[in-house]
Amino acid sequence: SQQGEEDPQALSIQEGENATMNCSYKTSINNLQWYRQNSGRGLVHLILIRSNEREKHSGRLRVTLDTSKKSSSLLITASRAADTASYFCATNTGGFKTIFGAGTRLFVKA
Amino acid sequence: EAGVAQSPRYKIIEKRQSVAFWCNPISGHATLYWYQQILGQGPKLLIQFQNNGVVDDSQLPKDRFSAERLKGVDSTLKIQPAKLEDSAVYLCASSFPSGTGGNFGMNTEAFFGQGTRLTVV
């Protein structure tokens, strides 16, 4: 079963623009994490936001969490060609499992 | 710090054959995960270990998949016999557990290996 679903499925932007990806989930969570996956590489953890947090920043990344709407967003500011990758949200429901969504494929054109 | 090591990187087998994947987590990480990622999809958790004990294997097809983590360090994932639909990337990840009350979910950062790309023909 899929807990988190990202939107859009694919996104193409110009270098320097901002990229926003959204994640919606179905059940209450303990925390939500965003990961990046470059072509041919493993997943890299970007940010973890807990259920009692509303916003976190890390460099050019900004994550928001709205537990009332069961949604999160990842904003990448001033995007670079190197940001081209698939981005996944993963929800931890306080049990033993962390479930990944299908991902958003971001393409940044130089 | 050394990352999560996986081998082999690539494997091609015929259906009904057997295959095994190996994972060496980051030193000191008690939690180890095996994920299956089919092309175009997100990773799906197959099994999660806490030290050498299984804490979740609800999505592991136990009629053909098995995994073990002897001594709470290295882990192997085996498929026997393989089917065409097992073609995927198998990702191993590890994390240092946090939380209380037996909550061994990924409350802290998980580190992923490069994965093993399995093709079943």
Side-chain angles (χ1 to χ4, degrees):
Chain A
S1 63
Q2 197 141 329
Q3 161 76 321
E5 293 189 7
E6 290 89 342
D7 171 62
Q9 290 186 335
L11 180 62
S12 181
I13 59 173
Q14 291 290 140
E15 203 167 32
E17 293 181 338
N18 295 341
T20 300
M21 288 157 269
N22 303 297
C23 172
S24 59
Y25 56 91
K26 299 173 183 174
T27 62
S28 296
I29 61 171
N30 186 40
N31 66 64
L32 185 145
Q33 303 170 44
W34 285 92
Y35 287 80
R36 180 184 70 223
Q37 186 175 41
N38 296 96
S39 177
R41 294 189 177 185
L43 287 141
V44 174
H45 181 270
L46 297 177
I47 287 184
L48 181 151
I49 186 165
R50 302 190 189 281
S51 60
N52 60 352
E53 297 174 315
R54 292 296 167 258
E55 187 172 312
K56 285 190 85 168
H57 297 255
S58 177
R60 294 183 296 112
L61 307 180
R62 172 177 169 251
V63 167
T64 60
L65 178 64
D66 187 334
T67 53
S68 66
K69 295 181 179 178
K70 292 186 170 60
S71 67
S72 173
S73 67
L74 169 66
L75 169 67
I76 304 174
T77 60
S79 62
R80 305 166 182 168
D83 295 328
T84 294
S86 291
Y87 292 81
F88 296 90
C89 71
T91 54
N92 175 273
T93 56
F96 299 131
K97 286 193 289 192
T98 293
I99 302 173
F100 283 79
T104 292
R105 282 137 195 85
L106 173 66
F107 182 66
V108 182
K109 294 177 281 187
Chain B
E1 164 181 274
V4 175
Q6 288 188 249
S7 67
R9 286 294 310 277
Y10 306 92
K11 191 74 176 178
I12 301 175
I13 62 172
E14 295 183 349
K15 59 183 179 183
R16 291 187 289 275
Q17 284 187 326
S18 302
V19 65
F21 313 126
W22 174 81
C23 173
N24 185 18
I26 291 173
S27 178
H29 282 193
T31 307
L32 185 147
Y33 315 81
W34 282 102
Y35 282 86
Q36 179 194 58
Q37 186 175 23
I38 293 172
L39 186 64
Q41 298 182 17
K44 177 181 118 177
L45 179 67
L46 294 176
I47 189 167
Q48 178 178 340
F49 292 94
Q50 182 69 17
N51 295 308
N52 61 346
V54 175
V55 294
D56 187 284
D57 63 357
S58 57
Q59 296 197 87
L60 186 74
K62 298 180 185 65
D63 58 334
R64 298 184 301 106
F65 286 64
S66 65
E68 60 182 8
R69 190 181 184 197
L70 299 176
K71 301 180 181 178
V73 182
D74 293 8
S75 177
T76 55
L77 176 69
K78 297 179 181 177
I79 308 175
Q80 180 180 12
K83 293 184 176 180
L84 296 177
E85 58 260 37
D86 297 333
S87 294
V89 176
Y90 290 84
L91 296 164
C92 178
S94 70
S95 67
F96 190 81
S98 72
T100 59
N103 178 4
F104 295 117
M106 291 162 70
N107 284 322
T108 57
E109 178 179 0
F111 294 83
F112 281 80
Q114 296 279 53
T116 296
R117 184 177 298 277
L118 173 67
T119 302
V120 183
V121 298

